[in-house]
Amino acid sequence: MDRRQLSAALLAAGLPPESFQIHGVHTHDPLPTDFWFLRPGPSGDWEVGAYERGKYDVRERFSTEPAASACLYQVLTGHDAPS
């Protein structure tokens, strides 16, 4: 699953749009007070984390976009990502 598929899957699962941010696909203006995010990391990896109280907190790093997408899906839904 790539990040575009992830965004569609999260919305289809009934998550509120303000509960997540996916780089280049699903962003906010203005920023909500807290949400989970998926973004490219500084060294070519992918970061999954939470934005809380004005700070980005990277919780996990992955070498591939599909692995990071699957993680974020599982964190937000409690289920494995659809195949």
Side-chain angles (χ1 to χ4, degrees):
M1 164 184 309
D2 68 19
R3 57 196 150 121
R4 286 167 185 74
Q5 294 166 323
L6 171 63
S7 180
L10 291 173
L11 293 171
L15 269 80
E18 63 275 2
S19 66
F20 61 94
Q21 181 180 71
I22 301 172
H23 177 77
V25 178
H26 184 86
T27 58
H28 307 284
D29 186 25
L31 286 178
T33 55
D34 57 356
F35 54 88
W36 280 84
F37 64 86
L38 169 66
R39 67 183 185 193
S43 57
D45 56 352
W46 287 86
E47 300 176 337
V48 172
Y51 176 87
E52 298 174 304
R53 298 182 185 144
K55 294 185 181 185
Y56 286 92
D57 178 22
V58 175
R59 306 282 173 91
E60 293 196 55
R61 295 181 193 279
F62 297 88
S63 59
T64 67
E65 179 182 342
S69 295
C71 172
L72 186 57
Y73 187 87
Q74 196 281 325
V75 165
L76 291 175
T77 66
H79 302 286
D80 290 337
S83 21

